[in-house]
Amino acid sequence: MPTGSTSWPTPSAAPVRGRAAVREAVAGMFALVPDLAFEFVSLRTGEEFWVVQWKLTGTTVTAAAVDVDLADFVVVDGGAVKKKHSYVDGVAMQAALASPEAAGAEAH
């Protein structure tokens, strides 16, 4: 993972920057969604970038289904990855991670 990596896990969360912080955030996500899977959707490339679209699926520890979009924007310089920015559909992720009790309370 490049040093300049940034991830935005949810709209209300601050961006996560740097190798250690991104690693910690990803570990936290796998703790909440142990069977988290990444399904490749599409790839667009240019001389100085890649854009990869993914679908995240799985089941949370509270048995809620996860079906969330993710996009990675990768900056390339001289054939090497310089920066990677990941954007998760935070609203969908927050809904999937909400406890069943909280989701039921919002519906009433």
Side-chain angles (χ1 to χ4, degrees):
M1 176 173 295
T3 305
S5 295
T6 305
S7 179
W8 283 265
T10 66
S12 62
V16 178
R17 291 191 173 91
R19 232 177 252 236
V22 170
R23 185 173 289 135
E24 183 178 335
V26 170
M29 186 60 59
F30 275 101
L32 295 171
V33 187
D35 65 344
L36 186 64
F38 293 72
E39 177 186 334
F40 173 78
V41 175
S42 68
L43 170 67
R44 303 287 185 265
T45 62
E47 288 186 34
E48 299 176 350
F49 72 92
W50 308 333
V51 178
V52 186
Q53 184 179 6
W54 305 92
K55 177 68 75 172
L56 304 180
T57 59
T59 307
T60 68
V61 294
T62 60
V66 173
D67 186 4
V68 177
D69 294 318
L70 165 70
D72 286 327
F73 296 85
V74 181
V75 177
V76 179
D77 184 21
V81 173
K82 294 297 178 183
K83 292 183 181 180
K84 177 179 173 274
H85 299 278
S86 298
Y87 300 89
V88 175
D89 178 347
V91 172
M93 185 60 83
Q94 284 178 329
L97 295 177
S99 70
E101 297 81 21
E106 290 174 10
H108 298 291

